[in-house]
Amino acid sequence: MRNFWVKLLTVCFFVSNSFAQKPAKPSSAEIYHSIKKLNFLGTALYVAAHPDDENTRLISYLSNYQKARTAYLSLTRGDGGQNLIGPELRELLGVLRTQELLAARRVDGGEQWFSRANDFGYSKQPDETLSIWDKEEVLGDVVWAIRNLKPDIVINRFDHRTPGTTHGHHTASAMLSLEAFDLVNDPKAYPEQLELTELWQPKRVFFNTSWWFYGSRENFEKADKSNLVKLDVGVYYPELGLSNNEMASVASSQHLCQGFGRLTTRGSQDEYVELVKGDMPSSVNLFDGIDTSWSRIEGGKPIGEILYKIEENFNFQNPSKHVPELVRAYQLLQKINDAHWRMLKSEALKNIILACSGLYLEASAETASTTPKNSAKINFEVLNRSDLPIRLKEIQLLGSNGKLSPNMDLGNNKKENLSLDLMVEPTQKISGPYWLQKPWDLGMYTVEQQELMGKAETPKAFQARFTLSLDGVEIAFDKPVVHRFSKPDKGELYEPFVVLPEVTTQIAEKVLIFASKDTKEVTVKVKAGRDAISGEIQLSHPQGWVVNPKSVAFSIEKVGQEQSVIFQVTPPDGDNEGKIVPIAKVNGKEYDKELIEIVYDHIPKQSVLLKSEAKVVRMNINKTGERIAYIMGAGDKVPESLEQIGYQLYLVYPDNIQPGTLEKYDAVVGGIRAYIVVESLNLKQAFLLEYVENGGNLVVQYNTANRWRKQFENIAPYNLSISRDRVTDENARVEIIDKEHSLVNFPNTITAADFENWVQERGLYFPNQWSPEFTPILSMNDPGEPPKQGSLLVAPYGKGHYIYTSLSFFRELPAGVSGAYKLFANMLSIGKSEMKSENNIKG
């Protein structure tokens, strides 16, 4: 097993310039594999809607077996989904899922592209999707991707002919792909793009079908397959010691925030593609009839003669023997007129030259970050691990004026260490995801610079260009500046080197609920981006709110250190909401950004800068009870939200639940997907129901359909069947079915107005069947659909109450939706209407 991971990680290192920023250290087998890919001049584009939609088996097959340049165009970054591993949601989840896609591509050998479409959540019809996205802009992004990538074949993950049978984003991705296929060679379509790219026409479009799209395996067996191509994607790569489906499994497992970690698989496995447009290939080679040799480009034949010979006679014991011929091929490549292939193959060839010669080039900053008008020391390591005559001519820091001209010979295995001080210009752009730099809306991100559109991430702020003379030929190699360091418990680590503001601010609670007229303390954290920084901070606030003091001075000695300042915030008398924004002033300049760092082991550290702000809400709300036990599921911010209105929250771990341990709590709440992700919860179900039977109140939030573990079939005291039903329109009309029920009357009166201003959706994975002991409270539906009554169900059990809710409280409470707070307080208070409301909170 250890050898498997060593092999796989080595492949990952060479597939990309960095795996979580670590440098490539390929073996002879990986170098040989890359030479075979170098000698294939063909491109495939795979198109779908979200992270995890891609078929990693097919991407890996095209990249590693077919040897084609293979890209995945995901129209969105998955911003609208859920997160199984942490608290990131919405735009931060999009950043995380972007990096998980890049991690997957580092394994399967593909490239990653995006459009500007924002994943606004589940959509049932492509028409709805394209009305929220700006269809013309997203279509233009698909056209842009095809014109730049120049794919010979396009493969859609979804069927354009079946709207309404799957996610509207899915169908829309296929529809846009086919429409773009007909536009990419039309000079009248998006003519402004042609200043930076050129027309192109793919040869074929396929639909990556399977039995699932036919309804059953039996239907698929009977179907006419004359228009289908069957591929065995379970092939084995002897030089890598891995099968294609092993690589694909590990690639798919990079989507950890979606719970896609899985076992690797081996052996023959069929994959089908259906021709949608273009001519049918006469074999299982999807590139059949397309010249994918070096003869494809004018002047390419002599390059191919050199490189094919190297592939045929590759020296596994001493790859450096091939460097002179590789350099000669590189010289010839610079003379061809085809800029597209010249650029692509030059970069690939340079990586192979580096690998064959054993050259190690690294640029590492001594600190993880810097700021404009500041400096940072950059250390360079240069090592020639061959007998080749190599001379280091120059090192230039792209993006700055920093340059070294050592002009030194590099002896075999003699390490050279150099350094310089990088002076950062005052105009240097701050690091961060480019699509989050300007305000965005529900359906689209705002990106004004055409060259950035489609890119997976923002280009690195600084690159080190090493100019070397190999056999008398000068070649420039670019490496991103990184931060290399170590930790005693983790060893050597790499992080991106980023440019940050001089100071950032943060209010920990993104929503502050004022359920009374009482003043609250609001703590603002000020973080230094450089040493010795001082200034003052103010709290911008809505009209009618009172903030004291007007400003607070701060002074911080060391970069990375924080100082907390406290403001007293008093709300107005009546219902009111707005935003408070901490503004730091340093030497006359204002800073209003918060630094969010996303840190997981499977992706590079991400530094995201967003507007530092918090929503403040003044609402009148009543509650009973104080002590609430919360069983965390996939991760949400419901506990923190409930603390905002005065509840005392206690995180309870299922392993610690014993008979009687829950009796001290006024209610027990299960987090989202708790029965899916907390394996030990099944062992404690009897204790939870015993708690209810003895008079307790158990609230279970949504769990996903068709993913029940067998032992969780009876999570409720009575029969309850979870479906995939959902109401995606956050403005859908809500009808209160049982207007007399305490859930909508105590301690707060719930009306239709409490369902205004909800975000993203009403709810998801509604039960569609339940025992008569359950009472449905609400009815709602998306346009054109029948009413659904499973969003909120309550049943008495013994002396207590069991509530199952699929309403998206995990989105609404952190967004400060007043009605959601009132309804949740009612759920926690059920059965207590006869009690004295000594703990009521009234405005």
Side-chain angles (χ1 to χ4, degrees), residues 728-753:
T728 61
D729 182 356
E730 63 269 29
N731 298 310
R733 180 175 176 271
V734 177
E735 179 186 352
I736 299 175
I737 301 171
D738 190 343
K739 293 182 173 60
E740 303 302 318
H741 201 283
S742 65
L743 269 185
V744 290
N745 287 286
F746 179 81
N748 303 284
T749 301
I750 304 298
T751 68

PDB file of all heavy atoms in Angstrom, residues 728-753:
ATOM      1  N   THR A 728     -36.509  25.063  -4.388  1.00  0.00           N
ATOM      2  CA  THR A 728     -35.285  25.843  -4.630  1.00  0.00           C
ATOM      3  C   THR A 728     -35.536  27.338  -4.693  1.00  0.00           C
ATOM      4  O   THR A 728     -34.603  28.122  -4.551  1.00  0.00           O
ATOM      5  CB  THR A 728     -34.635  25.397  -5.949  1.00  0.00           C
ATOM      6  OG1 THR A 728     -35.538  25.640  -7.030  1.00  0.00           O
ATOM      7  CG2 THR A 728     -34.297  23.920  -5.905  1.00  0.00           C
ATOM      8  N   ASP A 729     -36.781  27.744  -4.911  1.00  0.00           N
ATOM      9  CA  ASP A 729     -37.089  29.171  -4.983  1.00  0.00           C
ATOM     10  C   ASP A 729     -37.225  29.713  -3.571  1.00  0.00           C
ATOM     11  O   ASP A 729     -38.175  29.401  -2.846  1.00  0.00           O
ATOM     12  CB  ASP A 729     -38.387  29.376  -5.768  1.00  0.00           C
ATOM     13  CG  ASP A 729     -38.749  30.850  -5.942  1.00  0.00           C
ATOM     14  OD1 ASP A 729     -38.033  31.717  -5.393  1.00  0.00           O
ATOM     15  OD2 ASP A 729     -39.758  31.139  -6.623  1.00  0.00           O
ATOM     16  N   GLU A 730     -36.275  30.543  -3.166  1.00  0.00           N
ATOM     17  CA  GLU A 730     -36.286  31.087  -1.806  1.00  0.00           C
ATOM     18  C   GLU A 730     -37.462  32.017  -1.562  1.00  0.00           C
ATOM     19  O   GLU A 730     -37.758  32.372  -0.419  1.00  0.00           O
ATOM     20  CB  GLU A 730     -34.977  31.812  -1.498  1.00  0.00           C
ATOM     21  CG  GLU A 730     -34.695  33.016  -2.348  1.00  0.00           C
ATOM     22  CD  GLU A 730     -33.895  32.697  -3.603  1.00  0.00           C
ATOM     23  OE1 GLU A 730     -34.012  31.556  -4.116  1.00  0.00           O
ATOM     24  OE2 GLU A 730     -33.159  33.574  -4.079  1.00  0.00           O
ATOM     25  N   ASN A 731     -38.138  32.412  -2.659  1.00  0.00           N
ATOM     26  CA  ASN A 731     -39.310  33.281  -2.526  1.00  0.00           C
ATOM     27  C   ASN A 731     -40.622  32.522  -2.726  1.00  0.00           C
ATOM     28  O   ASN A 731     -41.685  33.135  -2.824  1.00  0.00           O
ATOM     29  CB  ASN A 731     -39.221  34.423  -3.538  1.00  0.00           C
ATOM     30  CG  ASN A 731     -38.006  35.294  -3.305  1.00  0.00           C
ATOM     31  OD1 ASN A 731     -37.763  35.732  -2.189  1.00  0.00           O
ATOM     32  ND2 ASN A 731     -37.227  35.540  -4.354  1.00  0.00           N
ATOM     33  N   ALA A 732     -40.549  31.192  -2.801  1.00  0.00           N
ATOM     34  CA  ALA A 732     -41.755  30.394  -3.003  1.00  0.00           C
ATOM     35  C   ALA A 732     -42.776  30.667  -1.896  1.00  0.00           C
ATOM     36  O   ALA A 732     -42.422  30.819  -0.727  1.00  0.00           O
ATOM     37  CB  ALA A 732     -41.401  28.908  -3.043  1.00  0.00           C
ATOM     38  N   ARG A 733     -44.043  30.727  -2.290  1.00  0.00           N
ATOM     39  CA  ARG A 733     -45.110  30.982  -1.323  1.00  0.00           C
ATOM     40  C   ARG A 733     -45.181  29.841  -0.309  1.00  0.00           C
ATOM     41  O   ARG A 733     -45.113  28.667  -0.664  1.00  0.00           O
ATOM     42  CB  ARG A 733     -46.447  31.113  -2.052  1.00  0.00           C
ATOM     43  CG  ARG A 733     -47.634  31.389  -1.138  1.00  0.00           C
ATOM     44  CD  ARG A 733     -48.901  31.619  -1.953  1.00  0.00           C
ATOM     45  NE  ARG A 733     -50.048  31.789  -1.082  1.00  0.00           N
ATOM     46  CZ  ARG A 733     -50.803  30.785  -0.647  1.00  0.00           C
ATOM     47  NH1 ARG A 733     -50.517  29.538  -0.999  1.00  0.00           N
ATOM     48  NH2 ARG A 733     -51.839  31.014   0.139  1.00  0.00           N
ATOM     49  N   VAL A 734     -45.296  30.207   0.971  1.00  0.00           N
ATOM     50  CA  VAL A 734     -45.396  29.228   2.046  1.00  0.00           C
ATOM     51  C   VAL A 734     -46.780  29.330   2.676  1.00  0.00           C
ATOM     52  O   VAL A 734     -47.210  30.416   3.080  1.00  0.00           O
ATOM     53  CB  VAL A 734     -44.307  29.466   3.116  1.00  0.00           C
ATOM     54  CG1 VAL A 734     -44.476  28.479   4.278  1.00  0.00           C
ATOM     55  CG2 VAL A 734     -42.922  29.335   2.499  1.00  0.00           C
ATOM     56  N   GLU A 735     -47.448  28.199   2.752  1.00  0.00           N
ATOM     57  CA  GLU A 735     -48.771  28.146   3.397  1.00  0.00           C
ATOM     58  C   GLU A 735     -48.636  27.423   4.731  1.00  0.00           C
ATOM     59  O   GLU A 735     -48.020  26.353   4.809  1.00  0.00           O
ATOM     60  CB  GLU A 735     -49.764  27.400   2.511  1.00  0.00           C
ATOM     61  CG  GLU A 735     -51.144  27.280   3.134  1.00  0.00           C
ATOM     62  CD  GLU A 735     -52.085  26.413   2.323  1.00  0.00           C
ATOM     63  OE1 GLU A 735     -51.715  26.024   1.198  1.00  0.00           O
ATOM     64  OE2 GLU A 735     -53.193  26.108   2.830  1.00  0.00           O
ATOM     65  N   ILE A 736     -49.191  28.013   5.766  1.00  0.00           N
ATOM     66  CA  ILE A 736     -49.214  27.363   7.078  1.00  0.00           C
ATOM     67  C   ILE A 736     -50.433  26.452   7.117  1.00  0.00           C
ATOM     68  O   ILE A 736     -51.581  26.915   7.083  1.00  0.00           O
ATOM     69  CB  ILE A 736     -49.255  28.400   8.209  1.00  0.00           C
ATOM     70  CG1 ILE A 736     -48.000  29.288   8.137  1.00  0.00           C
ATOM     71  CG2 ILE A 736     -49.341  27.705   9.569  1.00  0.00           C
ATOM     72  CD1 ILE A 736     -47.995  30.432   9.131  1.00  0.00           C
ATOM     73  N   ILE A 737     -50.191  25.137   7.153  1.00  0.00           N
ATOM     74  CA  ILE A 737     -51.289  24.163   7.065  1.00  0.00           C
ATOM     75  C   ILE A 737     -52.085  24.129   8.359  1.00  0.00           C
ATOM     76  O   ILE A 737     -53.313  24.237   8.366  1.00  0.00           O
ATOM     77  CB  ILE A 737     -50.725  22.759   6.767  1.00  0.00           C
ATOM     78  CG1 ILE A 737     -49.933  22.769   5.460  1.00  0.00           C
ATOM     79  CG2 ILE A 737     -51.862  21.742   6.682  1.00  0.00           C
ATOM     80  CD1 ILE A 737     -49.176  21.470   5.216  1.00  0.00           C
ATOM     81  N   ASP A 738     -51.382  23.950   9.461  1.00  0.00           N
ATOM     82  CA  ASP A 738     -52.048  23.837  10.761  1.00  0.00           C
ATOM     83  C   ASP A 738     -51.821  25.142  11.522  1.00  0.00           C
ATOM     84  O   ASP A 738     -50.863  25.301  12.281  1.00  0.00           O
ATOM     85  CB  ASP A 738     -51.470  22.647  11.532  1.00  0.00           C
ATOM     86  CG  ASP A 738     -52.277  22.317  12.785  1.00  0.00           C
ATOM     87  OD1 ASP A 738     -53.074  23.182  13.223  1.00  0.00           O
ATOM     88  OD2 ASP A 738     -52.104  21.218  13.335  1.00  0.00           O
ATOM     89  N   LYS A 739     -52.717  26.087  11.311  1.00  0.00           N
ATOM     90  CA  LYS A 739     -52.541  27.424  11.890  1.00  0.00           C
ATOM     91  C   LYS A 739     -52.697  27.441  13.410  1.00  0.00           C
ATOM     92  O   LYS A 739     -52.303  28.404  14.069  1.00  0.00           O
ATOM     93  CB  LYS A 739     -53.546  28.399  11.266  1.00  0.00           C
ATOM     94  CG  LYS A 739     -53.293  28.659   9.784  1.00  0.00           C
ATOM     95  CD  LYS A 739     -54.291  29.656   9.234  1.00  0.00           C
ATOM     96  CE  LYS A 739     -53.957  30.058   7.804  1.00  0.00           C
ATOM     97  NZ  LYS A 739     -53.940  28.918   6.870  1.00  0.00           N
ATOM     98  N   GLU A 740     -53.260  26.377  13.990  1.00  0.00           N
ATOM     99  CA  GLU A 740     -53.467  26.331  15.437  1.00  0.00           C
ATOM    100  C   GLU A 740     -52.323  25.637  16.159  1.00  0.00           C
ATOM    101  O   GLU A 740     -52.279  25.638  17.389  1.00  0.00           O
ATOM    102  CB  GLU A 740     -54.786  25.607  15.750  1.00  0.00           C
ATOM    103  CG  GLU A 740     -56.004  26.228  15.090  1.00  0.00           C
ATOM    104  CD  GLU A 740     -56.171  27.687  15.482  1.00  0.00           C
ATOM    105  OE1 GLU A 740     -55.975  28.006  16.672  1.00  0.00           O
ATOM    106  OE2 GLU A 740     -56.480  28.504  14.584  1.00  0.00           O
ATOM    107  N   HIS A 741     -51.419  25.030  15.432  1.00  0.00           N
ATOM    108  CA  HIS A 741     -50.362  24.254  16.078  1.00  0.00           C
ATOM    109  C   HIS A 741     -49.410  25.180  16.834  1.00  0.00           C
ATOM    110  O   HIS A 741     -49.126  26.299  16.397  1.00  0.00           O
ATOM    111  CB  HIS A 741     -49.581  23.446  15.039  1.00  0.00           C
ATOM    112  CG  HIS A 741     -48.835  22.286  15.630  1.00  0.00           C
ATOM    113  ND1 HIS A 741     -47.660  22.418  16.323  1.00  0.00           N
ATOM    114  CD2 HIS A 741     -49.124  20.946  15.628  1.00  0.00           C
ATOM    115  CE1 HIS A 741     -47.238  21.227  16.727  1.00  0.00           C
ATOM    116  NE2 HIS A 741     -48.110  20.307  16.314  1.00  0.00           N
ATOM    117  N   SER A 742     -48.895  24.681  17.957  1.00  0.00           N
ATOM    118  CA  SER A 742     -48.016  25.514  18.783  1.00  0.00           C
ATOM    119  C   SER A 742     -46.739  25.897  18.047  1.00  0.00           C
ATOM    120  O   SER A 742     -46.125  26.927  18.371  1.00  0.00           O
ATOM    121  CB  SER A 742     -47.666  24.783  20.088  1.00  0.00           C
ATOM    122  OG  SER A 742     -46.912  23.615  19.824  1.00  0.00           O
ATOM    123  N   LEU A 743     -46.321  25.103  17.065  1.00  0.00           N
ATOM    124  CA  LEU A 743     -45.092  25.428  16.335  1.00  0.00           C
ATOM    125  C   LEU A 743     -45.181  26.768  15.621  1.00  0.00           C
ATOM    126  O   LEU A 743     -44.157  27.382  15.348  1.00  0.00           O
ATOM    127  CB  LEU A 743     -44.759  24.327  15.311  1.00  0.00           C
ATOM    128  CG  LEU A 743     -43.854  23.200  15.781  1.00  0.00           C
ATOM    129  CD1 LEU A 743     -43.520  22.273  14.634  1.00  0.00           C
ATOM    130  CD2 LEU A 743     -42.579  23.723  16.417  1.00  0.00           C
ATOM    131  N   VAL A 744     -46.366  27.218  15.315  1.00  0.00           N
ATOM    132  CA  VAL A 744     -46.499  28.504  14.634  1.00  0.00           C
ATOM    133  C   VAL A 744     -47.170  29.548  15.526  1.00  0.00           C
ATOM    134  O   VAL A 744     -47.553  30.615  15.052  1.00  0.00           O
ATOM    135  CB  VAL A 744     -47.279  28.353  13.297  1.00  0.00           C
ATOM    136  CG1 VAL A 744     -46.452  27.595  12.286  1.00  0.00           C
ATOM    137  CG2 VAL A 744     -48.627  27.692  13.517  1.00  0.00           C
ATOM    138  N   ASN A 745     -47.275  29.228  16.824  1.00  0.00           N
ATOM    139  CA  ASN A 745     -47.937  30.174  17.728  1.00  0.00           C
ATOM    140  C   ASN A 745     -47.180  30.457  19.021  1.00  0.00           C
ATOM    141  O   ASN A 745     -47.411  31.495  19.653  1.00  0.00           O
ATOM    142  CB  ASN A 745     -49.342  29.648  18.085  1.00  0.00           C
ATOM    143  CG  ASN A 745     -50.306  29.776  16.931  1.00  0.00           C
ATOM    144  OD1 ASN A 745     -50.760  30.877  16.613  1.00  0.00           O
ATOM    145  ND2 ASN A 745     -50.610  28.651  16.281  1.00  0.00           N
ATOM    146  N   PHE A 746     -46.281  29.559  19.422  1.00  0.00           N
ATOM    147  CA  PHE A 746     -45.628  29.738  20.710  1.00  0.00           C
ATOM    148  C   PHE A 746     -44.130  29.499  20.598  1.00  0.00           C
ATOM    149  O   PHE A 746     -43.711  28.505  20.007  1.00  0.00           O
ATOM    150  CB  PHE A 746     -46.209  28.786  21.761  1.00  0.00           C
ATOM    151  CG  PHE A 746     -45.537  28.915  23.098  1.00  0.00           C
ATOM    152  CD1 PHE A 746     -45.886  29.923  23.982  1.00  0.00           C
ATOM    153  CD2 PHE A 746     -44.507  28.040  23.462  1.00  0.00           C
ATOM    154  CE1 PHE A 746     -45.249  30.059  25.204  1.00  0.00           C
ATOM    155  CE2 PHE A 746     -43.872  28.174  24.683  1.00  0.00           C
ATOM    156  CZ  PHE A 746     -44.239  29.182  25.564  1.00  0.00           C
ATOM    157  N   PRO A 747     -43.350  30.358  21.187  1.00  0.00           N
ATOM    158  CA  PRO A 747     -43.706  31.633  21.840  1.00  0.00           C
ATOM    159  C   PRO A 747     -43.807  32.797  20.855  1.00  0.00           C
ATOM    160  O   PRO A 747     -44.065  33.921  21.265  1.00  0.00           O
ATOM    161  CB  PRO A 747     -42.565  31.832  22.827  1.00  0.00           C
ATOM    162  CG  PRO A 747     -41.396  31.179  22.193  1.00  0.00           C
ATOM    163  CD  PRO A 747     -41.929  30.008  21.424  1.00  0.00           C
ATOM    164  N   ASN A 748     -43.581  32.511  19.553  1.00  0.00           N
ATOM    165  CA  ASN A 748     -43.687  33.558  18.533  1.00  0.00           C
ATOM    166  C   ASN A 748     -44.786  33.193  17.540  1.00  0.00           C
ATOM    167  O   ASN A 748     -44.934  32.030  17.153  1.00  0.00           O
ATOM    168  CB  ASN A 748     -42.362  33.698  17.767  1.00  0.00           C
ATOM    169  CG  ASN A 748     -41.183  33.985  18.676  1.00  0.00           C
ATOM    170  OD1 ASN A 748     -41.017  35.095  19.155  1.00  0.00           O
ATOM    171  ND2 ASN A 748     -40.353  32.960  18.926  1.00  0.00           N
ATOM    172  N   THR A 749     -45.531  34.169  17.124  1.00  0.00           N
ATOM    173  CA  THR A 749     -46.541  33.946  16.101  1.00  0.00           C
ATOM    174  C   THR A 749     -45.888  34.004  14.727  1.00  0.00           C
ATOM    175  O   THR A 749     -45.273  35.005  14.355  1.00  0.00           O
ATOM    176  CB  THR A 749     -47.658  34.996  16.190  1.00  0.00           C
ATOM    177  OG1 THR A 749     -48.257  34.927  17.493  1.00  0.00           O
ATOM    178  CG2 THR A 749     -48.715  34.756  15.130  1.00  0.00           C
ATOM    179  N   ILE A 750     -46.007  32.907  13.998  1.00  0.00           N
ATOM    180  CA  ILE A 750     -45.388  32.802  12.678  1.00  0.00           C
ATOM    181  C   ILE A 750     -46.429  33.096  11.609  1.00  0.00           C
ATOM    182  O   ILE A 750     -47.531  32.513  11.615  1.00  0.00           O
ATOM    183  CB  ILE A 750     -44.782  31.401  12.447  1.00  0.00           C
ATOM    184  CG1 ILE A 750     -43.777  31.065  13.564  1.00  0.00           C
ATOM    185  CG2 ILE A 750     -44.128  31.302  11.078  1.00  0.00           C
ATOM    186  CD1 ILE A 750     -42.594  31.986  13.645  1.00  0.00           C
ATOM    187  N   THR A 751     -46.090  33.999  10.692  1.00  0.00           N
ATOM    188  CA  THR A 751     -46.981  34.342   9.576  1.00  0.00           C
ATOM    189  C   THR A 751     -46.199  34.222   8.273  1.00  0.00           C
ATOM    190  O   THR A 751     -44.993  33.951   8.254  1.00  0.00           O
ATOM    191  CB  THR A 751     -47.506  35.784   9.722  1.00  0.00           C
ATOM    192  OG1 THR A 751     -46.411  36.708   9.544  1.00  0.00           O
ATOM    193  CG2 THR A 751     -48.143  35.999  11.087  1.00  0.00           C
ATOM    194  N   ALA A 752     -46.875  34.456   7.165  1.00  0.00           N
ATOM    195  CA  ALA A 752     -46.225  34.390   5.857  1.00  0.00           C
ATOM    196  C   ALA A 752     -45.068  35.376   5.758  1.00  0.00           C
ATOM    197  O   ALA A 752     -44.080  35.130   5.042  1.00  0.00           O
ATOM    198  CB  ALA A 752     -47.246  34.651   4.752  1.00  0.00           C
ATOM    199  N   ALA A 753     -45.150  36.488   6.490  1.00  0.00           N
ATOM    200  CA  ALA A 753     -44.085  37.498   6.438  1.00  0.00           C
ATOM    201  C   ALA A 753     -42.764  36.967   6.967  1.00  0.00           C
ATOM    202  O   ALA A 753     -41.693  37.478   6.615  1.00  0.00           O
ATOM    203  CB  ALA A 753     -44.504  38.731   7.233  1.00  0.00           C
TER     204      ALA A 753
END
